[in-house]
């Protein structure tokens, strides 16, 4: 018991460094979930061997500026409808900028834990940005095998760079440039997805807050090696609350998406980014685009790092609801109108109820509910 209590205050990175043969119980997933989790590297090998198995669609966005524009837009729409996720290549973020983001993010996580602790977030003090772990006293006391760094990266006037890593020295400069270039990709994707719903190309972006208020929140996920990847998850199954989420990673597999009743492992495609449809877009599109359920596996051999950028509407000023143009007698609204903040709150409430059902011994205390809310807010 003592070892477990001690572990509760530790970063996962530190825990991994001890070289434990078995992981503390807070990280062990419940039995119902353990039936189909395992080592991410093996999962990716299996997926590659299963050539006829389902694969997340890959869309080459270069097609948008060519004779293939219509077919490319159609491929984006179909992926968002059928999968809620796609790989995009030739997305428009320069390869050097992608490499630089990977370098500075890794550079930060390569610092000793004590140095990173200077950036620790503190939910109780309202400091959401910074270095953290899911110290979730959430309903089941369940924890994830990852540490992270979370910060708002765009628009620049809303991004508080004083809370960004000051090491490596060019972290800020590189991340600003990445956010700027990615923001153009966000517009491009939202334009194509708008048209895919029969709407004007700028409609979705305007509904989400436009240039001034659509927020890009970056979460760098750091998944240490795990001695028992068949018992733990880096990120538990969830849908993102965002409109779209863009994911880069260090070419170590781990992401799985739920499709047609099974978990499909994302393969690593050089030069690609993964794009998820999140809840906000599912709601605006009245369910035409699917907010994809996904999770992160861990592995025994390689540290995985991913950069997830959540494109979020402002919390209180935008009311998310199925766009009236998409609602008719034959296609009634599938979601109620809620602010983004209310959506997050509702999702949390549902999650805690589900957990309670799954585990009758669980008591939901105000502290655990608040911690779980924090987790939902950044996933
Ligand atoms: O690491 C990944 O690939 C996924 C991370 C994720 O789903 C999240 O941070 O919301
Ligand atoms: Fe996610």
């Amino acid at each position: 018991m003592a070892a477990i209590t001690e572990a509760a205050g530790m970063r996962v990175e530190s825990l991994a460094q001890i070289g434990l043969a078995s992981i503390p119980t807070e990280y062990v997933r419940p039995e119902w979930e353990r039936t189909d989790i395992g080592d991410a590297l093996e999962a990716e090998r299996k997926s590659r061997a299963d050539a006829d198995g389902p694969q997340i669609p890959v869309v080459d966005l270069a097609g948008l500026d060519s004779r293939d524009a219509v077919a490319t837009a159609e491929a984006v729409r179909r992926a968002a409808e059928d999968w809620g996720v796609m790989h995009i290549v030739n997305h428009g973020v320069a390869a050097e900028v992608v490499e630089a983001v990977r370098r500075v993010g890794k550079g930060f996580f390569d610092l000793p834990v004590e140095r990173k602790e200077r950036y620790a977030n503190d939910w109780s003090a309202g400091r959401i940005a910074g270095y953290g772990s899911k110290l979730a006293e959430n309903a089941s006391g369940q924890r994830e095998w990852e540490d992270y760094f979370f910060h708002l990266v765009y628009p620049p006037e809303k991004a508080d760079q004083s809370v960004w890593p000051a090491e490596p020295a060019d972290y800020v400069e590189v991340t600003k440039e990445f956010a700027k270039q990615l923001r153009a990709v966000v517009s491009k994707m939202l334009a194509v997805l708008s048209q895919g719903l029969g709407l004007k190309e700028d409609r979705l972006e305007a509904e989400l807050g436009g240039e001034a208020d659509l927020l890009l929140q970056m979460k760098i996920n750091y998944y240490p090696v795990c001695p028992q990847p068949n018992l733990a998850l880096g990120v538990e199954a969830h849908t993102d609350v965002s409109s779209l989420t863009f994911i880069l990673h260090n070419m170590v597999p781990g992401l799985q998406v739920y499709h047609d009743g099974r978990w499909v492992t994302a393969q690593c495609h050089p030069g690609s980014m993964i794009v998820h449809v999140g809840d906000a877009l599912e709601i605006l599109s009245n369910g035409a685009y699917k907010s994809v359920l996904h999770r992160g596996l861990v592995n025994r051999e390689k540290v995985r790092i991913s950069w997830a950028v959540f494109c979020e509407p402002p919390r209180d000023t935008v009311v998310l609801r199925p766009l009236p143009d998409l609602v008719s007698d034959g296609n009634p609204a599938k979601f109620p109108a809620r602010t983004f903040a209310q959506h997050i709150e509702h999702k949390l409430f549902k999650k805690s109820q589900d957990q309670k059902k799954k585990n009758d011994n669980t008591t939901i205390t105000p502290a655990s509910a608040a911690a779980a809310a924090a987790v939902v807010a950044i996933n």
Side-chain angles (χ1 to χ4, degrees):
M1 226 24 218
I4 291 168
T5 314
E6 249 166 60
M10 278 176 104
R11 298 300 175 191
V12 180
E13 179 184 352
S14 308
L15 204 52
Q17 278 165 359
I18 302 172
L20 300 170
S22 57
I23 60 176
T25 52
E26 305 96 297
Y27 294 91
V28 176
R29 307 307 303 185
E31 218 168 305
W32 62 265
E33 205 176 18
R34 268 187 271 145
T35 52
D36 63 356
I37 59 180
D39 187 291
L41 304 183
E42 280 164 29
E44 202 220 18
R45 273 195 290 273
K46 245 193 238 161
S47 153
R48 285 194 184 275
D50 181 14
D52 300 329
Q55 298 295 343
I56 296 171
V58 182
V59 182
D60 184 347
L61 293 190
L64 291 174
D65 304 315
S66 78
R67 255 189 274 134
D68 300 332
V70 173
T72 305
E74 177 61 12
V76 168
R77 184 187 63 77
R78 230 178 311 118
E81 281 183 0
D82 299 346
W83 282 79
V85 61
M86 67 197 92
H87 293 275
I88 54 172
V89 294
N90 292 313
H91 38 66
V93 180
E96 314 83 79
V97 175
V98 168
E99 258 338 286
V101 159
R102 288 191 173 121
R103 174 177 53 76
V104 296
K106 178 175 185 304
F108 174 74
F109 275 97
D110 281 346
L111 296 172
V113 169
E114 313 79 75
R115 283 260 279 292
K116 292 192 288 259
E117 291 295 357
R118 295 180 194 167
Y119 298 89
N121 62 7
D122 184 351
W123 291 97
S124 57
R127 285 207 314 275
I128 295 168
Y131 177 54
S133 316
K134 189 169 164 187
L135 292 174
E137 278 306 308
N138 68 359
S140 56
Q142 184 76 68
R143 300 180 64 186
E144 296 173 328
W145 196 263
E146 70 149 2
D147 303 320
Y148 63 79
F149 195 96
F150 183 73
H151 54 335
L152 174 70
V153 297
Y154 200 93
E157 61 280 7
K158 291 196 166 70
D160 176 5
Q161 286 156 15
S162 73
V163 300
W164 294 16
E167 300 164 273
D170 56 349
Y171 184 95
V172 171
E173 186 192 335
V174 165
T175 304
K176 270 169 66 178
E177 182 59 24
F178 174 68
K180 190 174 116 197
Q181 294 197 15
L182 183 64
R183 185 63 182 79
V185 186
V186 175
S187 284
K188 184 156 64 179
M189 290 296 291
L190 288 175
V192 172
L193 290 164
S194 260
Q195 288 174 322
L197 294 168
L199 304 169
K200 289 233 263 314
E201 67 173 20
D202 55 358
R203 180 71 184 278
L204 280 177
E205 179 160 347
E207 291 285 341
L208 291 161
E211 171 62 25
D213 286 323
L214 175 65
L215 309 175
L216 303 194
Q217 309 262 20
M218 183 192 275
K219 181 174 167 230
I220 308 177
N221 297 295
Y222 183 87
Y223 307 99
V225 293
C226 178
Q228 293 179 299
N230 48 331
L231 300 184
L233 282 175
V235 188
E236 66 186 11
H238 67 282
T239 60
D240 292 345
V241 292
S242 62
S243 56
L244 292 174
T245 304
F246 290 77
I247 298 179
L248 275 177
H249 54 72
N250 64 343
M251 299 302 280
V252 174
L255 178 69
Q256 289 191 318
V257 303
Y258 199 68
H259 179 76
D260 271 354
R262 61 187 267 193
W263 287 104
V264 175
T265 304
Q267 295 183 359
C268 298
H269 292 284
S272 82
M273 280 196 285
I274 293 163
V275 187
H276 287 164
V277 172
D279 300 347
L281 186 54
E282 180 175 89
I283 294 167
L284 289 176
S285 70
N286 198 25
Y289 298 144
K290 304 290 179 318
S291 182
V292 63
L293 186 67
H294 57 282
R295 68 182 185 185
L297 299 183
V298 289
N299 76 81
R300 282 188 194 83
E301 291 167 47
K302 294 183 181 170
V303 170
R304 177 164 188 264
I305 309 178
S306 72
W307 289 257
V309 179
F310 306 104
C311 309
E312 298 189 348
R315 293 199 157 228
D316 299 305
T317 51
V318 165
V319 177
L320 292 172
R321 84 285 185 228
L323 294 177
D325 325 42
L326 306 176
V327 174
S328 62
D329 287 347
N331 186 23
K334 297 188 178 77
F335 306 89
R338 292 193 174 108
T339 63
F340 188 52
Q342 286 165 340
H343 169 70
I344 293 172
E345 214 171 282
H346 174 76
K347 193 171 179 179
L348 163 69
F349 174 72
K350 262 190 23 208
K351 182 177 171 185
S352 52
Q353 293 237 311
D354 286 354
Q355 266 180 356
K356 214 171 166 184
K357 260 186 244 150
K358 279 189 184 122
N359 176 6
D360 271 337
N361 303 328
T362 303
T363 42
I364 301 164
T365 63
S368 64
V375 171
V376 170
I378 62 168
N379 267 344

